[in-house]
Amino acid sequence: MIYRTQVGIVGAGPAGLVLGHLLHLEGIDSVVLEARDREYVEQRVRAGVLEQNTVNLLDEMGVGERMKREGLVHEGLELRFGGRGHRIDLAGLTGGRSITVYGQQEVVKDLIAARLEAGRELLFEVEDVELEGVDTEAPAVAFTHGGERRRLSCDVVAGCDGFHGVCRDAVPEGALTHHEREYPFGWLGVLAEAEPSSDELIYTHHDRGFALHSMRSPSITRLYLQCPPGEDVGEWPDDRIWEELNTRMELAEGFSLHEGPIIEKGVTPMRSFVAEPMQHGRLFLAGDAVHIVPPTGAKGLNLAVADVRVLSRALARWYDSGDESGLESYSETCLRRVWRTQYFSWWMTSMLHRLPDDRDGFQARLQRAQLDYVCSSESAARTLAENYVGFDSVEAPG
Ligand code: FAD
Ligand code: DHB
C-alpha cells in the first residue's frame, strides 16, 4: 500500500498540533505521529502562560472557545523582593496587551479534539521513528504502529518532537550548530488544590532562591521553587514545600499562601539551547526540538507556536504557487524571535534566581539594582512588559 501525505509531522505537542490544524485550514494534508498515548499528552503538566499572539492565533484557528471561557486574562504581574511587592502594569505599559493563563495540557486537549473532528490522521504510541531522505525531494518517515512497520512518504517533514526527539539528530553531523547554556539550578513545580493567593502571578527573588506563584483556575494554584538541578522530589515532602514557599514569598506586612493538597510534583532542569539553522533540506524543525528557553519568561510554548505559524504560511504559499521563498527564509525569520526570546528568558532568569557561585554577593547586588530599576523606571518596566506579553513580529532593524 502506498502511504503518503503532504506534510509528515513528528510530535503531538503544541508545535505539531498547531501546525497540523493550520495546514488543515489551508486544505493541506498531514499525518501527526506521537510516541506517547493520548491520555499522557493530555495530562502532562507544563507551561501555563499564553501570549496575546498565541491567544489570537488559537482563536482565529477556531480552537479558542474553551480558552476564552476558562482562561484567566492577566493585565499585570507582581515582582516581589526585599519583603515588598511591585506591580508591573502589563496592559498599561503595552497599549492594552495582556496574557492568558490556560494550561498547556488544556491547549493540547482542544487541539486533539479539533484534529479528530477534522478527520485528519493522528497516531499515538508510534515507535522507532526514523527519517529517510530529508536531503531529497521525497523524504519519508518510517515508524512502527500496532506492531506493524510503516513508511510514510511526504513532501516535507516537520520535526516537532521536543528536545528529546529524533528529528534534530536526523540532520547530518556538522550541518547544525548548537548553542547551549545549562543553569546551576532547576525548578520544582507543584500543582495544589488551593485557591490562588493573589489574582496575579508573583515572581519572587529571595536570598533562599526564586519562587513563583501562578494558577490554573480559581481553585488550583501552580507554584515553583528554585532547587538544585536534578533534585529528587522525594526530598520535598508537602510541609517543606509550603514552608519554603512562605519563607521566600514573605512580605513586610505579612503574607501566607492559601494551602491545600499537592496533586502533582516535578523537577524541570533549566537550559538555554538553540540549534541553527532550523531547516535541513526538506526537514523543518520547530519548537523545543530546536530551541529551549529557561521557563522564567514563560516563553517555551509561545515560541513553539510562533515557529509553526511561520512554517504553515510558508508551506501554504509553496503549495499554492510554487513560491519557495517563505520556506527558504523560515529559519532566518524564526531565529530573530528565538534569539530575542532567548535574551529575555536569560535576563529574567539571571535577575530573579539565587546564583550559587556568588560568594561575595556581587551578583546579588547587581540583581537587586536591576530589580529596583525595573520597579522604579517606567522605561525599564516597559521593556519587561513588552517582552513578557510578546511582540507582534520581531523585525530586523531597517
Ligand atoms: P513538546 O511539548 O515537548 O512536544 C513534543 C512531542 O513529541 C511530545 O508529545 C513527545 O511525546 C513527542 N515525541 C518525542 N519524541 C518523539 C518521537 N521520537 N516520535 C514521535 N513523537 C515524539 N514552558 C514554560 O513556558 N513554562 C513552564 O513552566 C514550562 N515547564 C515545562 C516543564 C517540562 C517538564 C518541560 C519538558 C517543558 C516545560 N516548558 C515550560 C516548556 C514548554 O512546555 C515547551 O516549550 C512546549 O511544550 C514546546 O512545545 P513542543 O510542541 O515544541 O514540544
Ligand atoms: C507558569 C510557568 C512559567 O514558566 C512562568 O514563567 C509563569 C507561569 C505556569 O506554569 O503557570
Side-chain angles (χ1 to χ4, degrees):
M1 186 188 83
I2 298 173
Y3 186 42
R4 102 147 253 115
T5 186
Q6 290 172 290
V7 182
I9 301 176
V10 186
L17 290 167
V18 169
L19 178 62
H21 201 68
L22 286 171
L23 294 176
H24 163 69
L25 295 174
E26 296 283 353
I28 300 168
D29 189 45
S30 63
V31 171
V32 180
L33 303 171
E34 167 58 47
R36 303 290 193 152
D37 64 40
R38 180 173 176 183
E39 196 187 335
Y40 183 90
V41 301
E42 290 191 342
Q43 299 307 325
R44 189 165 41 189
V45 180
R46 286 186 173 178
V49 172
L50 307 183
E51 289 178 1
Q52 182 96 54
N53 293 323
T54 305
V55 168
N56 293 349
L57 182 72
L58 294 172
D59 210 23
E60 283 158 28
M61 289 164 64
V63 293
E65 197 242 326
R66 197 163 64 92
M67 171 188 70
K68 287 285 198 201
R69 205 163 7 103
E70 297 177 13
L72 306 167
V73 176
H74 287 212
E75 298 199 331
L77 60 77
E78 181 180 328
L79 292 179
R80 188 175 289 191
F81 54 95
R84 290 186 54 202
H86 309 261
R87 183 167 192 266
I88 304 291
D89 179 5
L90 297 172
L93 290 161
T94 61
R97 292 166 79 81
S98 57
I99 53 122
T100 296
V101 176
Y102 187 64
Q104 177 168 328
Q105 76 270 36
E106 305 307 323
V107 176
V108 165
K109 279 182 207 160
D110 297 343
L111 287 161
I112 289 175
R115 175 110 195 141
L116 298 179
E117 201 183 309
R120 301 280 186 186
E121 199 162 351
L122 163 57
L123 299 179
F124 291 101
E125 298 181 80
V126 304
E127 294 171 301
D128 302 325
V129 170
E130 282 178 89
L131 308 195
E132 297 171 5
V134 294
D135 280 318
T136 71
E137 293 198 348
V141 187
F143 61 95
T144 302
H145 187 246
E148 186 196 342
R149 192 77 185 152
R150 301 175 80 172
R151 188 173 182 279
L152 175 68
S153 306
C154 327
D155 298 328
V156 161
V157 178
C160 302
D161 52 349
F163 186 66
H164 300 288
V166 296
C167 290
R168 190 175 65 245
D169 292 339
V171 176
E173 187 130 347
L176 295 185
T177 305
H178 292 192
H179 305 276
E180 185 160 19
R181 289 285 178 281
E182 292 207 4
Y183 297 86
F185 38 78
W187 276 14
L188 170 67
V190 306
L191 211 53
E193 280 174 351
E195 186 192 327
S197 306
S198 160
D199 290 340
E200 296 186 337
L201 269 63
I202 308 172
Y203 285 83
T204 308
H205 173 70
H206 189 275
D207 294 345
R208 294 180 62 87
F210 171 78
L212 172 59
H213 165 275
S214 179
M215 63 205 68
R216 287 293 177 272
S217 74
S219 56
I220 303 280
T221 307
R222 176 83 168 139
L223 299 144
Y224 297 95
L225 278 171
Q226 177 183 351
C227 65
E231 181 79 325
D232 173 7
V233 287
E235 297 289 317
W236 288 88
D238 297 5
D239 287 352
R240 182 177 174 206
I241 292 175
W242 289 115
E243 195 184 324
E244 192 62 31
L245 283 164
N246 276 313
T247 303
R248 294 188 193 182
M249 299 191 71
E250 68 194 350
L251 284 176
E253 71 260 30
F255 176 81
S256 58
L257 286 159
H258 297 151
E259 297 183 17
I262 291 182
I263 50 176
E264 220 264 349
K265 279 183 208 176
V267 171
T268 310
M270 305 261 286
R271 61 164 69 82
S272 302
F273 171 80
V274 182
E276 47 183 42
M278 290 168 57
Q279 176 209 355
H280 182 79
R282 290 286 182 95
L283 170 64
F284 294 83
L285 298 167
D288 278 16
V290 66
H291 45 66
I292 295 285
V293 287
T296 326
K299 292 294 173 196
L301 186 164
N302 296 292
L303 210 47
V305 170
D307 287 349
V308 295
R309 184 173 52 175
V310 174
L311 183 55
S312 70
R313 285 184 185 157
L315 286 167
R317 198 180 324 157
W318 182 53
Y319 278 117
D320 196 40
S321 66
D323 177 358
E324 291 194 0
S325 60
L327 291 176
E328 281 165 5
S329 59
Y330 166 73
S331 177
E332 197 191 329
T333 303
C334 290
L335 283 168
R336 279 201 289 274
R337 179 184 293 270
V338 167
W339 280 109
R340 176 65 245 149
T341 306
Q342 282 293 357
Y343 183 88
F344 176 66
S345 304
W346 167 85
W347 177 73
M348 287 282 279
T349 302
S350 312
M351 179 170 71
L352 288 162
H353 289 73
R354 192 176 75 84
L355 304 173
D357 53 0
D358 185 26
R359 275 180 292 277
D360 63 357
F362 179 79
Q363 298 281 357
R365 282 166 178 75
L366 292 181
Q367 289 174 313
R368 185 54 191 267
Q370 186 63 12
L371 283 163
D372 283 338
Y373 181 48
V374 169
C375 297
S376 58
S377 152
E378 190 176 309
S379 343
R382 180 170 290 117
T383 295
L384 188 154
E386 69 181 9
N387 279 276
Y388 195 81
V389 301
F391 294 97
D392 250 345
S393 57
V394 184
E395 308 292 346

